[in-house]
Amino acid sequence: MMGLKALAALALSACLPAFLLAQAPGSVVTGTVRDSGRTPLGDARIIARDLESGFTYTARSSLAGRYWLPGLPPGRYALTATQVGYQPVRHASAVLAVGQTLTIDFVLERSVVQLEPIEVVANENRVATGESGIATVFDREALARLPEESRQFTDLARLAPGATSAVETGEPIAGVSVGALSAYSVGIVVDGGNLMGQAINEQSGRIPLLAVQEFGVVTTSYAAEFGQAASGVINVATRRGTNRFAVEGFGLYRHRALNTQGTFEAAKPAYNRTHWGVAAGGPLARSRTHFFLAVERRVENAFVTVATGGAFPSAEGTFRTPFTDNLLFARVDHRAGQTHQLTLRYTGELFNQVADVGQSPFCAAVGGGGPGAYEQGVTRDHRMHSVLLLDRWSVGTATTNEARLHLITYTEDREPLGVGGARIYPSLCAGSNLVQARLGNVRAEFKDDLSTTVTGATGTHRLKVGGLASWLAPATRVVTFAPAAFIFATDSSSLPALAFVGLGANRLNVRSLQLGAYLQDDWSPVSNLMLNLGLRYDLETNGTNQGFVSPLAGSLPFVTAERRPIDADNLAPRVGLAWDPAGTGRTVVRGGFGIFYDQALSYLIALERSTARLALVADPGTTDASQIPIDTALVPAAPTVLGRRMRTPFTRQFSLGVEQALGEFVVRVDGLLVYGRNLPITRELNTLDASGMRRFPAYQSVLQSLNRGEALGKLLLLRATRQFARSWIDVAYTLASRQTTTDVWFQRVPQVDPDEEDFAGELGPAAWDERHRIVGLAGSHLPLGFDGTVKIVYSSGRPYNAVTGTDDNGDTILNDRIPGEGRNARRGPDFFAIDLSLARTLRVGAADLRLRANVYNMLNRKNLSSGAVVGNLRSPLFGNSQAALSGRQVELGAEAGY
């Protein structure tokens, strides 16, 4: 029976406020304790000892013999089961992954004399039989051996089945798409703290890979504690100090002499890069208090080549795009007795980068299609600081409470390299960048989770209730349209056909409170069946100007004086199943259904409240904004309006799969169906008629942002792994069809009828829709003491939009599609690369020295960039990609550990 303390704690936790946050579910060890006659043993004591930190965690089995050890940090554990009158049994080494539910059963023999524990070592493959979702874990060993040129977990996450590279948008969003939706719907949590900002679901910063213990790519999970991500979640656990003092470091170096010449480069640029890091950890008090510190620094003298096929010789060339990144990490863990544990963690990032050269996403969104000249680039100056405090305590042996307090702040200045306005041609984007910005966000969040185990006639229930609250405010956010943007009808035009002149800036000053709560029941009615039952509720107090009354009411027919209602019906039921039909731990059938909500993009608030104006001038006769006669007092407003009812984007997800251990192989097949609703979609409503008159003459432009976008994803995921005596192999294949009504929130769709809000005709392939993606990973211990790891990635061509390059529907945007073609109807180039890592370890005194050589794109394959395909029909470069990813690169370095 549940104790009064546990009941009181559950009741209190259920009343806590909550915010819409993707969280890290605690790792769990569960199983049964039986005697040799298979009779359940109640009140058996199970002790899990972390083999590195010395921390221990204790649970008691129920009358049905079931036990739970929730909220464990990932790592290696020794588990011991004891009962009076029985000989103890110990599993000497159990590896627990981040977010995993690991099943370990005990069989105890009767004994009248206390004996040493019997040690059990598992020697056959078993699968996780307590998990109903789809997830891929990258542990510390994988992070150390896999070649990844950026050393960032978000890039390594692309290797998971169902994940791929995100579309380049020019915004600080995550570089990975998980599942069916874009990076705008991906969540990233580090030690249970949210790493995402609210403006555009941007990634607030990065952490050193030296500080990552492991991470999981959760394609779909039916745990109700997951929120804020309508697609996938990357769940990161950071490293902790142990009872052994240890120091490690690495240094990597690249030089142009080791690289091949780029596809569009006339000669090798003076490229070089240094990347180094140091980490240290150990005990402040053995088995009680530990620390861990890490720092990484990357300095890269990088270059980008701009190629226009001879259309603009003066803009072509290879240009320097330097990058400097500093990553900081510190963590202290303290065990204040058997029932109480405290963690204090800091992580920070300071980087400066020249970006947007070669590709210009913002320019392409308003009618361009070619590469971005050097002057189109921007300098990004980014600063992030995050502090997290975790308090974990136990109430008896069946109940655990975790409370987190997290403060994260980031700012980013985006300064254009060029001046004088943007010049947009069919084959080139020149002049200054369209967007100058000062971004920033402050998030203060509190989260409390309480879990307890209840047993009875219906089986065993692991109940978990959570409350969350997150206060968000813009640190600084000012976005200014370029002084002017000039659009040219053809590459040879000497004068622009249209000029956009920006007056004023968008400022985001609205604060919001994200609230949410969930109740979850992991129910095991019998030992070989797990049901994940959950219900989650989410609310944002001002996600999309809720309660706002537009001052445009009455002057525009589709804007009313009604207060926008609060989107308060975000109820998300979830149910999952994990069934081991034979009860052997070698086969599991998984499936589930759930609803998942995003956080609202608060930048839409800035657009609706903005007082910035935009002057549109046809045939301005000049590219000098100062020479265009504009009476600013007479320039009409250029408002952005939101829909009458703004709802939070969400998805319905359904999956079904099976995982089977076949001798040394483990094979898994999953099907995933995702249907998304309420996604942002934007259009221009103040169109021109045949005589050049505007539909709403009192306004220069009327943008409307609705949440009527849709998405449909169908994915088949296959994965096979095998561990040999001296080698291993991991192969994954993804067959996908991902459709959306728009790829990027700021891209304007051609549909303009203000009375028509059905965008089904816009549903087409997503820009990140790779029909086929194959990832092969393998490693082996080689002769002469060498270790080798190979990474092979193939993906089929991504879609791109073919446009006429003219304004056929009068919305002043040159993104009208070729008649008869749907959205993203064409396919760009495919991608194929082989990366190799070769290392040899030497023993130098008490330290290990590991010499390493990494080779990226070993076969020097010419991989044209799918994001740089010219889709403007008026360009002579139509259908060609004017940028390529790097050719073969060689990196030399060393790692040391003590």
Side-chain angles (χ1 to χ4, degrees), residues 393-416:
W393 69 93
S394 301
V395 182
T397 58
T399 304
T400 301
N401 194 89
E402 288 188 341
R404 285 179 176 86
L405 183 62
H406 183 210
L407 176 65
I408 182 169
T409 177
Y410 85 93
T411 57
E412 179 173 317
D413 291 326
R414 179 186 169 95
E415 295 289 341

Side-chain angles (χ1 to χ4, degrees), residues 609-628:
R609 292 176 178 259
S610 173
T611 58
R613 291 174 295 163
L614 184 68
L616 276 66
V617 182
D619 299 318
T622 180
T623 57
D624 184 350
S626 65
Q627 298 301 313
I628 301 177

Side-chain angles (χ1 to χ4, degrees), residues 53-77:
S53 70
F55 291 179
T56 59
Y57 306 86
T58 304
R60 293 277 184 179
S61 64
S62 66
L63 293 177
R66 192 80 178 186
Y67 74 90
W68 293 85
L69 281 162
L72 302 184
R76 292 175 56 246
Y77 289 83

Side-chain angles (χ1 to χ4, degrees), residues 333-353:
D333 293 272
H334 175 66
R335 192 68 183 265
Q338 280 294 109
T339 62
H340 206 180
Q341 180 176 326
L342 294 170
T343 298
L344 179 63
R345 189 218 69 198
Y346 164 80
T347 185
E349 179 178 29
L350 307 170
F351 83 74
N352 185 274
Q353 175 187 24

Side-chain angles (χ1 to χ4, degrees), residues 365-524:
V366 294
Y374 176 75
E375 57 193 7
Q376 267 280 309
V378 295
T379 299
R380 293 177 58 196
D381 189 9
H382 187 102
R383 299 163 298 281
M384 183 272 289
H385 302 281
S386 166
V387 178
L388 182 142
L389 176 64
L390 167 64
D391 189 5
R392 180 186 188 274
W393 69 93
S394 301
V395 182
T397 58
T399 304
T400 301
N401 194 89
E402 288 188 341
R404 285 179 176 86
L405 183 62
H406 183 210
L407 176 65
I408 182 169
T409 177
Y410 85 93
T411 57
E412 179 173 317
D413 291 326
R414 179 186 169 95
E415 295 289 341
L417 297 176
V419 296
R423 301 189 306 277
I424 303 173
Y425 299 90
S427 302
L428 180 73
C429 293
S432 64
N433 198 281
L434 281 171
V435 178
Q436 176 179 338
R438 173 163 292 176
L439 316 177
N441 192 81
V442 174
R443 180 189 290 270
E445 61 188 28
F446 174 76
K447 169 181 179 286
D448 189 87
D449 296 313
L450 187 141
S451 59
T452 191
T453 304
V454 180
T455 60
T458 59
T460 302
H461 300 262
R462 178 179 171 244
L463 299 175
K464 190 170 186 178
V465 62
L468 312 101
S470 183
W471 178 82
L472 299 105
T476 309
R477 187 169 187 98
V478 179
V479 180
T480 306
F481 195 71
F486 301 95
I487 299 180
F488 295 79
T490 67
D491 289 339
S492 59
S493 300
S494 59
L495 295 175
L498 188 66
F500 295 82
V501 181
L503 306 173
N506 294 324
R507 299 177 183 272
L508 180 58
N509 297 313
V510 180
R511 290 164 174 78
S512 183
L513 185 65
Q514 295 177 336
L515 304 171
Y518 71 89
L519 177 64
Q520 183 173 307
D521 181 9
D522 295 328
W523 173 31
S524 181

Side-chain angles (χ1 to χ4, degrees), residues 125-283:
N125 283 329
R126 292 171 63 91
V127 296
T129 58
E131 302 169 12
S132 59
I134 304 173
T136 305
V137 174
F138 294 83
D139 59 20
R140 186 68 202 158
E141 185 178 356
L143 301 184
R145 67 193 178 192
L146 287 175
E148 173 50 54
E149 69 92 19
S150 70
R151 284 186 56 87
Q152 277 300 309
F153 68 85
T154 49
D155 293 337
L156 283 166
R158 302 168 183 172
L159 303 178
T164 187
S165 302
V167 173
E168 177 61 48
T169 66
E171 300 172 306
I173 60 175
V176 59
S177 171
V178 180
L181 273 62
S182 72
Y184 293 114
S185 296
V186 169
I188 301 177
V189 291
V190 179
D191 298 325
N194 192 359
L195 198 64
M196 311 306 286
Q198 187 194 23
I200 51 174
N201 198 51
E202 65 271 32
Q203 183 178 342
S204 298
R206 295 172 282 201
I207 63 176
L209 196 63
L210 279 175
V212 177
Q213 174 65 28
E214 60 186 46
F215 69 91
V217 181
V218 183
T219 306
T220 187
S221 171
Y222 301 108
E225 56 194 311
F226 276 103
Q228 193 185 353
S231 192
V233 173
I234 302 176
N235 178 17
V236 183
T238 62
R239 295 178 70 179
R240 299 165 291 143
T242 69
N243 278 336
R244 175 180 174 271
F245 179 76
V247 178
E248 61 184 288
F250 74 91
L252 299 169
Y253 181 69
R254 300 188 199 182
H255 190 269
R256 67 172 178 173
L258 302 176
N259 297 343
T260 60
Q261 187 171 318
T263 301
F264 296 100
E265 293 174 355
K268 283 187 184 181
Y271 173 86
N272 61 77
R273 176 169 119 168
T274 58
H275 196 169
W276 60 267
V278 179

Side-chain angles (χ1 to χ4, degrees), residues 72 92-93 96 164 170 178 205 296 381 415 464 499 504 509 542 586 616 651 683 688 715 726 818 837 881 885-886 890:
L72 302 184
S93 180
L96 184 61
T164 187
V178 180
E296 289 192 26
D381 189 9
E415 295 289 341
K464 190 170 186 178
N509 297 313
N542 198 12
R586 297 179 60 82
L616 276 66
T651 57
R683 57 184 177 174
L688 303 173
L715 291 84
R726 294 179 56 84
I818 296 174
S837 180
S881 180
L885 305 179
S886 299
V890 178

Side-chain angles (χ1 to χ4, degrees), residues 524-536:
S524 181
V526 291
S527 61
N528 64 336
L529 176 64
M530 177 70 72
L531 298 175
N532 304 124
L533 310 174
L535 186 64
R536 183 181 179 91

